[in-house]
């Protein structure tokens, strides 16, 4: 069977506010997710023996711990599917960058195999499975830009502007606990209605901690802010600057010092994964 290559897009947190902390240590958030037209790709060859084989192992990550393998086995178990898959992963999204790479990979695996195995589960059911793999998985499964609350799992579709972004990595990886465990992190930003937040200048409560603890983030943001509104995404380490046109973003990237690794992408409110699935279903005569 011909391998199917499915998109696994990156995301940005256009804003991120921490409104409280729960007794179990998790933080309550208000955040705005938007996809970008840039990301990883996953290839699937369906097997009839039930085996799940990752043909492109990630260095330093055991297959049993890989979110792609875990997502495939979770779906297989939930849907009681006897099918398996050889899965290849082509990485473009920097790991540990706050762009949601691992969560996106898990979501693409759930969405693609649900389709290819003919499991017939709704996206809402896949999202409920996904939350057990990570708080960001549901937004990728649902496939639309969203305002998120709770720990990020309560989603409300929204339509932010689809701007162009210069997304840059400072060359360091920031462990999420380094941000959420910092005693100086703001944890009491007042909750606000989504319509207020969408019309208020965007910010990220994690950014001051990332800038304080990681000089590379401070250096990168200081440089980008000379050219355009710029922020941290998630808990970092990636930062992004927003532009109205692709050419404006590229002009700034062309000026970037050699230590900056970046790319230009467009914000999109409908995930490239879901656009691909719809096209695949039409081609297969199943739409």
């Amino acid at each position: 069977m011909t391998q199917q290559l499915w998109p696994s897009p990156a995301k940005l947190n256009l804003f991120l506010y921490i409104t409280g902390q729960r007794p179990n240590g998790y933080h309550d958030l208000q955040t705005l997710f938007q996809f970008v037209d840039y990301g990883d790709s996953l290839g699937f060859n369906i097997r009839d023996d039930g085996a799940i084989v990752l043909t492109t192992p990630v260095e330093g990550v055991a297959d049993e711990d890989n979110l792609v393998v875990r997502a495939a086995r979770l779906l297989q178990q939930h849907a009681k599917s006897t099918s398996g898959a050889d899965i290849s992963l082509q990485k473009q999204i920097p790991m540990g960058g706050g762009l949601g790479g691992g969560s996106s990979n898990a979501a693409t695996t759930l969405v693609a195999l649900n389709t290819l195995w003919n499991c017939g589960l709704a996206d809402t059911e896949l999202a409920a499975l996904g939350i057990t793999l990570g708080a960001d998985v549901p937004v990728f499964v649902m496939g639309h830009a969203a305002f998120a609350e709770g720990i990020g799992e309560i989603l409300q579709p929204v339509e932010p502007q689809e701007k162009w972004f210069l997304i840059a990595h400072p060359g360091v990886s920031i462990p999420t606990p380094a941000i959420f465990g910092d005693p100086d992190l703001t944890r009491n930003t007042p909750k606000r209605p989504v319509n207020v937040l969408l019309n208020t200048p965007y910010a990220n409560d994690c950014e001051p901690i990332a800038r304080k603890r990681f000089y590379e983030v401070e250096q990168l943001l200081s440089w980008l802010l000379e050219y355009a509104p710029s922020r941290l995404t998630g808990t970092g380490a990636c930062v992004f600057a927003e532009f109205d046109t692709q050419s404006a973003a590229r002009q700034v990237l062309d000026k970037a010092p050699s230590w900056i690794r970046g790319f230009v992408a467009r914000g999109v409110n409908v995930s490239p994964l879901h656009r691909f699935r719809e096209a695949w279903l039409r081609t297969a005569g199943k739409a």
Side-chain angles (χ1 to χ4, degrees), residues 42-126:
L42 285 104
F44 300 90
N45 281 328
I46 303 308
R47 303 170 60 115
D48 58 11
D49 62 359
I52 303 296
V53 180
L54 184 62
T55 62
T56 52
V58 178
E59 187 177 349
V61 181
D63 282 1
E64 298 302 311
D65 297 328
N66 191 294
L67 281 171
V68 169
V69 173
R70 290 174 58 198
R73 290 188 174 149
L74 183 64
L75 176 64
Q76 195 179 47
Q77 182 180 18
H78 181 81
K80 297 179 170 57
S81 176
T82 58
S83 297
D86 291 325
I87 307 173
S88 64
L89 172 59
Q90 299 173 16
K91 287 296 292 181
Q92 296 286 338
I93 302 172
M95 294 178 71
L99 299 176
S103 295
S104 181
N105 295 164
T108 292
T109 301
L110 291 172
V111 169
L113 290 180
N114 180 56
T115 304
L116 298 169
W117 286 345
N118 296 309
C119 297
L121 303 183
D123 284 348
T124 50
E125 198 169 354
L126 293 177

Side-chain angles (χ1 to χ4, degrees), residues 175-182 213:
T176 300
I179 301 297
F180 281 130
D182 192 292
R213 297 189 60 163

